[in-house]
Amino acid sequence: MARLETHTATNGAATPVSDRPPTGGANAEPRGTAASPAGTTTAEFLDAFLQTKSELFQENREVLRDSYVPARLPHRDGEIRQVAEVLAPALRGNTPSNLLIYGKIGTGKTAVVTQVRQDLQRRAEGAANLTFVTVNCGNIDTAYSLLQNVGNTFAKAEADRIPTGWSLDRVQAAMRRLMDAKGGTIVLVLDEIDRLVQRSGDNVLYTLSQLNTELESARLVLLGISNDLKFTNHLDARVRSRLNEEKILFDPYKAPQLQDILQDRAKVAFRDGVVDPGVIELCAAYAQLESGDARRALALLRLAAEMAERDHAKRITRDHVVKAKNRLEKDIIVECCRSLPPHCKVLLYAILQSYERRKNGVLTGEVYDNYKRLAERLGLPPLHARSISNYVSELESLGLIRATIVSRGRGGRTREIQVDVPLSETMPALEEDPLLAPLGRPKSRGQTLLTNFDNPGRTGPTY
Ligand code: ADP
Ligand code: MG
């Protein structure tokens, strides 16, 4: 199910959620009885845990999370202004241009749009009929579910909702009717729009971009946000020109800018004087290397602090940052590999294996042969070379590999693949996956050794 938020100028009230821990209740353990071996009940332990003040964090540690939108976005004044200028006509009831925002991950695109949205909504209240619908396309599988979900954000009653099972045309017509019933300016924010197009093509963007010719009382504005800088190259020319009416590029942050961003958050997140000199600078320097990604910078600082806390340290040191960096790199790669579809995992494993043998770039033909062999060993009917070629591109866009076109004489061209992740981390991580476990080798690294020997179903080494 897609994560979808609607924010309207008139009905933006959020459901209040209590964040207080539950106390008592029918199944609550009676306090002071049923003592554990350590002399405290679980309830006592949890109560004590809650009452113990962290030596490092202030109350609000959530400010280091991605989802937190700070009141101030240092070094993005220009971009905030540009986005506001494009959308401002909506406040006077005029239809703004469509807008495409693009920039690398963690450059503040989502945060900036969220802030401008809030600023506009505050001013529109009571004065203009302005609705924002924000869709994270990363969570949307198909064009169908996009239109259905967008339509349903305007459904006032259960009976108005678009059910699953209708034809695409019918869903589209129902969405239009629901939008017209709302009327006014509707800004549809398609965050991570590049992923939508990668998965389901650009037909749905064409549909949306010509919706204004069919809408009667509503006007639709598309605000696409892309992490892929070359996103528009993949679009049909008509879609590109409509989506691109205005475009804004977000540059990666440099280390000093990242330091300012981190300082702001650290002031709210930590107690005074617990952050050693150089800690923020080091997080910023590492994150600058990661293409100026503020998300990475924040994750490093948060993880370093959590490591310090687990060590019962009184201060967060540069050593904690170095440890956090190593952990984070592994986690990111492992997480990324785990989330791949099955054949893509087999392909990645095939690439790593060929690369490990050659210690050098491998050609796609060799990789495909190896993939086929592995897939057959796992009992998976191999996919065609064309599908595998798409997966090579997907692995490349995830930053796990690099593929360069090489000429092979007589006009033949193929791709040579280089691996961009440490084999020593990635192969064991993949071998731990139940799907690939039978491919693990006896002389595997680290913990995988035990796992593999314990696995009676495993076969001998591949090579
Ligand atoms: P993007 O959408 O470009 O991938 P985000 O907007 O999600 O990036 O930003 C990633 C994280 O970094 C978020 O937690 C966001 O609050 C924070 N962030 C990004 N830019 C800034 C900034 N200029 N000031 C403060 N925090 C920022
Ligand atoms: Mg984003």
Side-chain angles (χ1 to χ4, degrees), residues 105-106 108-111 191-192 225 227 295:
I105 194 153
K109 303 180 296 297
T110 302
D191 203 350
E192 314 210 354
I225 305 179
N227 289 325
R295 179 175 320 193

Coordinates of all heavy atoms in Angstrom, one line a residue, residues 105-106 108-111 191-192 225 227 295, ligand 2:
I105 N 20.5 12.5 -4.2 CA 19.8 12.1 -2.9 C 20.4 12.9 -1.8 O 21.6 13.2 -1.7 CB 19.9 10.6 -2.7 CG1 18.9 10.2 -1.7 CG2 21.3 10.2 -2.4 CD1 18.5 8.7 -1.9
G106 N 19.5 13.3 -0.8 CA 20.0 14.0 0.4 C 20.4 15.5 0.1 O 21.1 16.1 1.0
G108 N 18.2 17.9 0.0 CA 17.1 18.7 0.6 C 15.9 19.0 -0.2 O 15.1 19.8 0.1
K109 N 15.7 18.2 -1.3 CA 14.6 18.4 -2.2 C 13.3 18.3 -1.5 O 12.4 19.1 -1.5 CB 14.7 17.5 -3.4 CG 16.0 17.7 -4.2 CD 16.0 16.7 -5.4 CE 16.0 15.3 -5.1 NZ 17.1 14.8 -4.3
T110 N 13.1 17.1 -0.8 CA 11.9 16.8 -0.2 C 11.6 17.8 1.0 O 10.5 18.3 1.1 CB 11.9 15.4 0.4 OG1 12.1 14.5 -0.7 CG2 10.5 15.0 1.1
A111 N 12.7 18.1 1.7 CA 12.5 19.1 2.8 C 12.1 20.5 2.3 O 11.2 21.1 2.9 CB 13.9 19.2 3.6
D191 N 7.1 12.7 -5.6 CA 8.4 12.6 -5.0 C 9.0 11.3 -5.6 O 8.3 10.3 -5.7 CB 8.4 12.6 -3.5 CG 9.8 13.1 -2.9 OD1 10.7 13.1 -3.7 OD2 9.8 13.3 -1.7
E192 N 10.3 11.3 -5.9 CA 11.0 10.1 -6.4 C 10.3 9.7 -7.7 O 10.1 8.5 -8.0 CB 11.1 9.0 -5.4 CG 11.6 9.6 -4.1 CD 12.4 8.7 -3.2 OE1 12.6 7.5 -3.6 OE2 13.0 9.2 -2.2
I225 N 9.8 15.4 -8.3 CA 11.1 15.5 -7.7 C 11.9 14.2 -8.1 O 11.4 13.1 -7.9 CB 10.9 15.5 -6.1 CG1 10.0 16.6 -5.7 CG2 12.3 15.6 -5.5 CD1 9.8 16.7 -4.2
N227 N 15.6 12.1 -8.1 CA 17.0 11.9 -7.6 C 18.0 11.6 -8.8 O 19.2 11.6 -8.6 CB 17.1 10.7 -6.6 CG 16.4 11.0 -5.3 OD1 16.5 12.1 -4.8 ND2 15.8 10.0 -4.7
R295 N 21.4 13.5 4.3 CA 20.8 12.4 5.0 C 21.9 11.5 5.6 O 21.9 11.1 6.7 CB 20.0 11.6 4.0 CG 19.4 10.4 4.5 CD 18.5 9.8 3.5 NE 17.8 10.9 2.8 CZ 16.8 10.7 2.0 NH1 16.4 9.5 1.7 NH2 16.2 11.7 1.3
Ligands
MG2 MG 13.5 13.1 -1.2

